[in-house]
C-alpha cells in the first residue's frame, strides 16, 4: 500500500492510501466477468487504485438532482487480509447476484453478471460499470429512497449517470457538506506544513473557489 496523501487524475483529486493495480488482478476481474474493463476506468485504476473520491454528483443529473457522494472506491485486488472482501471489485461483483441491485437492473434488461460495482457512498447506495454488450461502460447508480421525516422526497431507483467513467468524472463537483467533512476529518487543527492539510487545501483551491471564507475554514 502507498501512504501518499493524494493523487491527481483528470483534474480530480483522489485521497489515499492506494494499492498497486497489478496486471494479474486486472486479468482476474476480466476473466471472471468475461469482458474487458473499459479503457478509461482501467487508466484510472493504474493511477489511483482505492482511496476516496470526495466529490458530489447529482442524481438524476441536472440542477434539481439530489446530491450524493460516492466517495469510497472499490479496489482492484485483495484487501489487507488477503481476501476479496466487499470493498474489492471482485468481492463486490461476487456478492451482487440476488441483491436488490441485481433485481432492479434486471427489470431494466441489464443482467447482474454484466454489472461491476465500483464505489459506494459509505452506505448502501452504489455506483456500477455497465459492461453489458450495449452498455459501453456506462456509469449507473442505485440509490435508496429516503424516509418522509427527512423532508427530502426521494424514491428508490436506478439509472444512468454518464456514458463512461471519464464522463462521470467530468460531472463531479465539491459540495459544501463534503468540503466541511473532509476538512474536519483530514485536517482539523493540523499545522500548515502538515501534508494532509496541504493536500486538502489544494483540492479545495481547485474545486471550491472562495472556500476560505466558510465558517469552518481556517482563519
Amino acid at each position: 500500500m502507498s501512504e501518499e496523501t493524494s493523487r491527481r487524475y483528470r483534474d480530480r483529486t483522489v485521497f489515499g492510501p492506494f494499492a498497486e493495480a497489478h496486471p494479474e488482478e486486472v486479468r482476474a476481474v476480466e476473466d471472471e466477468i468475461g469482458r474487458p474493463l473499459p479503457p478509461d476506468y482501467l487508466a484510472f485504476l493504474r493511477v489511483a487504485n482505492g482511496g476516496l473520491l470526495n466529490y458530489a454528483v447529482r442524481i438524476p443529473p441536472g440542477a434539481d438532482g439530489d446530491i450524493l457522494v460516492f466517495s469510497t472506491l472499490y479496489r482492484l485486488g485483495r484487501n489487507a487480509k488477503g481476501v476479496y472482501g466487499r470493498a474489492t471489485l471482485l468481492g463486490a461483483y461476487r456478492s451482487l447476484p440476488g441483491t436488490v441491485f441485481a433485481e432492479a437492473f434486471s427489470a431494466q434488461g441489464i443482467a447482474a453478471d454484466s454489472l461491476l460495482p465500483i464505489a459506494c457512498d459509505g452506505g448502501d447506495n452504489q455506483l456500477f460499470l455497465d459492461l453489458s454488450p450495449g452498455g459501453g461502460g456506462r456509469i449507473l447508480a442505485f440509490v435508496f429512497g429516503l424516509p418522509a421525516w427527512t423532508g427530502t422526497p426521494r424514491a428508490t431507483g436506478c439509472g444512468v449517470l454518464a456514458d463512461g467513467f471519464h464522463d462521470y468524472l467530468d460531472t463531479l463537483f465539491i459540495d459544501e457538506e463534503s468540503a466541511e467533512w473532509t476538512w474536519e476529518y483530514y485536517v482539523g487543527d493540523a499545522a500548515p506544513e502538515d501534508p494532509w492539510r496541504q493536500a486538502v487545501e489544494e483540492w479545495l483551491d481547485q474545486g471550491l473557489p472562495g472556500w476560505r471564507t466558510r465558517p469552518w475554514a481556517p482563519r
Side-chain angles (χ1 to χ4, degrees):
M1 294 288 289
S2 169
E3 297 300 325
E4 292 173 76
T5 54
S6 64
R7 293 179 181 175
R8 295 281 291 174
Y9 184 83
R10 287 179 63 90
D11 293 328
R12 296 290 182 260
T13 296
V14 188
F15 294 105
F18 305 101
E20 185 175 351
H22 294 288
E24 60 268 25
E25 292 292 357
V26 176
R27 290 193 295 271
V29 171
E30 293 180 336
D31 287 347
E32 183 141 349
I33 299 175
R35 302 169 179 84
L37 294 177
D40 54 355
Y41 180 62
L42 187 55
F44 175 80
L45 288 178
R46 288 170 175 155
V47 172
N49 180 28
L52 293 173
L53 190 63
N54 289 356
Y55 293 90
V57 64
R58 290 191 178 275
I59 299 178
D64 296 330
D66 291 327
I67 294 177
L68 282 93
V69 181
F70 294 96
S71 57
T72 303
L73 301 172
Y74 298 158
R75 58 175 284 185
L76 180 71
R78 303 172 189 269
N79 62 20
K81 295 182 179 179
V83 298
Y84 294 115
R86 63 174 298 179
T88 68
L89 293 176
L90 262 183
Y93 178 75
R94 289 171 176 173
S95 67
L96 188 58
T99 64
V100 64
F101 310 112
E103 294 174 0
F105 284 112
S106 177
Q108 295 190 8
I110 305 172
D113 64 0
S114 65
L115 291 170
L116 179 64
I118 60 173
C120 71
D121 66 346
D124 294 326
N125 302 317
Q126 290 204 55
L127 205 64
F128 300 86
L129 272 176
D130 180 4
L131 302 180
S132 64
R138 298 181 302 174
I139 301 298
L140 310 177
F142 185 99
V143 177
F144 286 92
L146 294 175
W149 60 263
T150 64
T152 303
R154 187 178 79 201
T156 296
C158 57
V160 179
L161 294 189
D163 290 334
F165 191 73
H166 283 173
D167 292 330
Y168 170 71
L169 292 179
D170 291 343
T171 69
L172 300 180
F173 62 95
I174 299 176
D175 70 303
E176 293 285 344
E177 185 175 344
S178 294
E180 182 175 0
W181 179 90
T182 302
W183 182 268
E184 293 179 351
Y185 181 83
Y186 286 112
V187 181
D189 297 325
E193 63 272 17
D194 181 87
W196 278 106
R197 175 168 178 158
Q198 293 174 353
V200 172
E201 286 181 340
E202 180 182 5
W203 170 70
L204 291 168
D205 286 340
Q206 293 166 338
L208 191 64
W211 69 272
R212 295 178 191 272
T213 65
R214 273 43 172 195
W216 48 266
R219 293 292 182 266

